[in-house]
Amino acid sequence: MTQKQNITVQLDHETIRRAKVIAAQRGTSVSQLLAGTLAEMVREEDRYEAARSRAIALLRRGLHLGGKIRATRDELHER
């Protein structure tokens, strides 16, 4: 079971009023609305970091595109 903890957030009156309206329209509470939004942000960040790590690993490994280098370095650079 996940242990939950409370946090305090200070928002201006109009933001709170509008958040209550949005929560009511969605049949939830402002607390649940915020919790869901923050949880989704964390999941997105985790997915981004995983994709970034995979991309960096691919770059480090390099890509073999086939073919062979038949010229010497000097021939390629006309030295």
Side-chain angles (χ1 to χ4, degrees), residues 48-62:
Y48 173 82
E49 286 301 322
R52 182 178 182 275
S53 294
R54 287 191 305 272
I56 289 172
L58 280 172
L59 289 172
R60 285 190 178 134
R61 187 171 68 225

Side-chain angles (χ1 to χ4, degrees), residues 5 7 13 18-19 23 26-28 31 33 41 44-46 48 52-53 55 57-58 60 62-63 70 74 79:
Q5 186 175 346
I7 62 170
H13 177 74
R18 293 189 65 198
R26 296 181 184 190
T28 189
S31 180
L33 191 66
M41 287 176 66
E44 285 177 13
E45 184 69 19
D46 289 345
Y48 173 82
R52 182 178 182 275
S53 294
L58 280 172
R60 285 190 178 134
L63 300 173
R70 300 186 193 287
D74 289 334
R79 293 186 183 176

Side-chain angles (χ1 to χ4, degrees), residues 1 4 20 22 26-27 31 36-37 47 50 60-61 63 67-68 76:
M1 178 183 239
K4 296 190 178 192
K20 287 179 180 181
I22 292 168
R26 296 181 184 190
S31 180
T37 301
R47 287 191 300 266
R60 285 190 178 134
R61 187 171 68 225
L63 300 173
K68 294 183 180 177
L76 289 173

